[in-house]
Amino acid sequence: MARRLPVGAGCHAGDVRPVRAVLLDFYCTLVDLSDPVRSRGFDDFARRFGLPLAPGELYRRYAQMITSEPAQDAVPGFEPYRASWLAAGRRLLAPFGRQSAAGQFADAYADLHATAVIFPEVPDAVQELARHARIGVVANADHDYLMRCLDHNGL
């Protein structure tokens, strides 16, 4: 529940205009797609494919791999996440001779995004915020799994 100012108290912000709209990031702000959640999803994938890895290891390797690669910002055009996850899956699974499972890796990662669970305090907070400002949600997510996640969480 939102905290209210005591009766008679006010905000004196000078010439600052009132907030009319708020943009909220979707993943890791409204729904939980934190590193521990991702790591558990990667552990499930590793188990399904019989990869001989300790818990957390596949996600650690993935995070290390993608952070050590050169940025693709200078490349013109849009690349859907699924395409980048497919390429990453090939590289990630190559040491195990399982490059052919890259499509299943990309599907599993998309499902992880599509089934991320809303944080419990979000519905009440968004409802209260909506009483005072227009709300927009932004995400650097592809439409297909973003819409699935919205549906999954009843939004």
Side-chain angles (χ1 to χ4, degrees):
M1 174 174 237
R3 201 176 101 188
R4 300 201 185 272
L5 293 173
V7 175
C11 178
H12 304 285
D15 291 335
V16 176
R17 292 194 162 307
V19 174
R20 294 179 40 202
V22 176
L23 293 177
L24 301 169
D25 185 41
F26 190 67
Y27 287 105
C28 297
T29 301
L30 301 179
V31 298
D32 189 1
L33 195 59
S34 60
D35 285 343
V37 170
R38 293 173 199 240
S39 186
R40 286 190 299 271
F42 277 58
D43 288 347
D44 290 344
F45 178 84
R47 271 192 302 279
R48 278 198 318 269
F49 283 86
L51 303 181
L53 296 170
E57 181 63 17
L58 189 62
Y59 183 65
R60 186 195 66 73
R61 289 180 184 204
Y62 174 79
Q64 182 179 22
M65 182 183 74
I66 64 168
T67 58
S68 65
E69 294 175 342
Q72 297 293 319
D73 296 340
V75 178
F78 170 76
E79 179 181 28
Y81 271 113
R82 183 165 189 344
S84 67
W85 293 337
L86 189 58
R90 285 188 199 102
R91 292 187 308 278
L92 185 65
L93 300 171
F96 307 101
R98 300 299 304 267
Q99 299 94 317
S100 63
Q104 289 136 317
F105 170 81
D107 290 343
Y109 206 24
D111 286 343
L112 196 60
H113 282 74
T115 59
V117 176
I118 194 167
F119 288 110
E121 63 276 8
V122 165
D124 289 342
V126 168
Q127 185 176 359
E128 180 63 25
L129 187 58
R131 291 181 49 219
H132 305 283
R134 297 182 77 181
I135 297 174
V137 175
V138 295
N140 63 336
D142 294 346
H143 187 264
D144 59 344
Y145 62 80
L146 176 62
M147 296 309 294
R148 286 176 47 209
C149 192
L150 289 168
D151 288 342
H152 176 75
N153 286 288
L155 301 175

